């Protein structure tokens, strides 16, 4: 049996055993997310389409799949979805600005040998492509933090409905502070895990620490980590405020 198929079956069985129906939806959401990413790449190849707009649409679809499809439509997932989209819009504008300043778009010197036989005149705005890559790298962490805070704040309010908007907001911030450190470090270790081979290679090439830090490949990943950290930090107060406002308003109506 093909190893990939065997691993997929093991994952599917575990997700059913642990997650039940939600596990089944989570498994199929992997394929839906993959389809969205493939379509996003295909549309980005068209020089007449703005990659930033395509990325924003892709983020909306990915957020819908992972929040509303997997966890079904309810007040918690809707709040998490709205919070994610608001954060993504703010972060996308910020990342587009940062990408133009840092000039991390395009390819590094280390990649020039593999790309020497290809033409780089493809008519695509690599500044916007770089911004799109960064935002797509952060969407998963932002959704994770958003649904975690929304669920926690809802649970707190469920057990103590006398809490006011300020109390719920502060509770969300306290929960977010614990998540902030772990999620940021997760992104950090994911970078070094995926680029460990590259770091070993540049060490064998006798790169100085200055050359490593100033190389485009390294600086691009560092900017991605920092922007993802900013996104995680932004989603915490945004989700806390929206959740607190919704819960208090719902209580007043009832």
């Amino acid at each position: 049996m093909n190893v990939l198929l065997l691993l997929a079956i093991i994952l599917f069985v575990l997700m059913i055993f642990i997650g039940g129906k939600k596990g089944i939806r989570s498994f199929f959401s992997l394929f839906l997310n993959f389809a969205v990413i493939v379509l996003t790449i295909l549309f980005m190849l068209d020089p007449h389409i703005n990659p930033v707009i395509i990325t924003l649409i892709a983020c909306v679809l990915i957020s819908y799949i992972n929040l509303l499809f997997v966890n079904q439509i309810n007040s918690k997932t809707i709040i998490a979805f709205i919070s994610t989209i608001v954060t993504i819009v703010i972060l996308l504008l910020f990342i587009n600005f940062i990408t133009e300043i840092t000039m991390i778009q395009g390819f590094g010197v280390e990649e020039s040998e593999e790309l020497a036989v290809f033409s780089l005149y493809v008519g695509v705005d690599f500044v916007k492509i770089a911004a799109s890559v960064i935002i797509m790298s952060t969407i998963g962490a932002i959704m994770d933090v958003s649904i975690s805070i929304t669920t926690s704040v809802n649970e707190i309010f469920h057990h103590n409905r006398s809490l006011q908007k300020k109390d719920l907001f502060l509770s969300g911030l306290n929960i977010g502070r614990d998540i902030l450190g772990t999620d940021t470090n997760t992104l950090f270790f994911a970078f070094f895990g995926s680029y460990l081979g590259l770091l070993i290679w540049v060490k064998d090439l006798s790169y100085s620490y200055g050359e490593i830090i100033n190389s485009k490949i390294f600086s691009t990943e560092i900017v991605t980590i920092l922007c993802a950290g900013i996104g995680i930090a932004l989603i915490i107060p945004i989700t806390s405020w929206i959740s607190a406002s919704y819960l208090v308003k719902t209580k007043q109506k009832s």
Side-chain angles (χ1 to χ4, degrees):
M1 181 182 292
N2 187 286
V3 176
L4 297 178
L5 180 59
L6 178 61
L7 292 174
I9 292 173
I10 294 173
L11 176 62
F12 183 62
V13 171
L14 288 174
M15 293 182 80
I16 292 177
F17 179 74
I18 297 174
K21 292 182 179 180
K22 186 177 291 187
I24 297 175
R25 291 194 297 269
S26 299
F27 181 80
F28 286 106
S29 70
L30 297 174
F31 298 96
L32 294 176
N33 288 326
F34 179 75
V36 171
I37 292 174
V38 171
L39 289 175
T40 301
I41 294 173
L42 293 176
F43 280 112
M44 282 185 178
L45 295 176
D46 189 341
H48 302 292
I49 299 178
N50 190 334
V52 175
I53 301 299
I54 296 299
T55 302
L56 182 59
I57 296 173
C59 288
V60 172
L61 293 175
I62 291 172
S63 299
Y64 180 87
I65 292 169
N66 291 278
L67 294 174
L68 301 178
F69 171 71
V70 173
N71 298 295
Q72 297 184 317
I73 299 176
N74 52 60
S75 60
K76 292 182 291 185
T77 54
I78 291 174
I79 291 172
F81 177 77
I82 294 173
S83 302
T84 300
I85 299 305
V86 171
T87 305
I88 288 296
V89 171
I90 296 172
L91 196 60
L92 195 55
L93 297 174
F94 174 75
I95 289 175
N96 194 45
F97 173 72
I98 291 297
T99 305
E100 292 183 1
I101 294 178
T102 55
M103 299 179 66
I104 59 173
Q105 72 277 5
F107 303 97
V109 177
E110 296 80 7
E111 301 166 302
S112 58
E113 183 176 347
E114 290 81 2
L115 298 170
V117 297
F118 298 103
S119 173
L120 299 181
Y121 296 99
V122 293
V124 176
D125 190 340
F126 278 96
V127 175
K128 294 179 179 178
I129 292 293
S132 299
V133 170
I134 294 174
I135 200 67
M136 292 293 285
S137 302
T138 64
I139 180 67
I142 290 174
M143 287 189 300
D144 178 49
V145 175
S146 180
I147 192 64
S148 298
I149 293 178
T150 303
T151 303
S152 301
V153 172
N154 270 267
E155 191 68 18
I156 292 171
F157 186 73
H158 175 72
H159 291 285
N160 189 356
R161 297 183 65 85
S162 63
L163 291 174
Q164 300 300 313
K165 179 179 176 179
K166 181 181 178 181
D167 299 322
L168 290 171
F169 175 72
L170 293 176
S171 297
L173 290 182
N174 289 329
I175 295 166
R177 290 189 184 101
D178 294 332
I179 299 174
L180 180 62
T182 54
D183 273 46
T184 305
N185 279 283
T186 298
L187 295 170
F188 176 79
F189 289 116
F191 158 69
F192 279 103
S194 60
Y195 275 81
L196 185 60
L198 174 64
L199 295 175
I200 295 173
W201 180 50
V202 297
K203 183 62 178 178
D204 288 340
L205 293 176
S206 300
Y207 273 34
S208 66
Y209 288 109
E211 289 173 323
I212 293 174
I213 293 173
N214 287 285
S215 65
K216 182 171 287 188
I217 293 179
F218 185 85
S219 59
T220 299
E221 292 304 317
I222 293 298
V223 170
T224 302
I225 293 173
L226 295 176
C227 289
I230 292 171
I232 293 172
L234 281 176
I235 192 68
I236 293 171
I238 291 174
T239 306
S240 300
W241 184 81
I242 294 177
S243 297
S245 300
Y246 171 79
L247 292 172
V248 172
K249 187 176 181 180
T250 303
K251 183 186 72 171
Q252 291 172 350
K253 286 184 177 179
S254 62

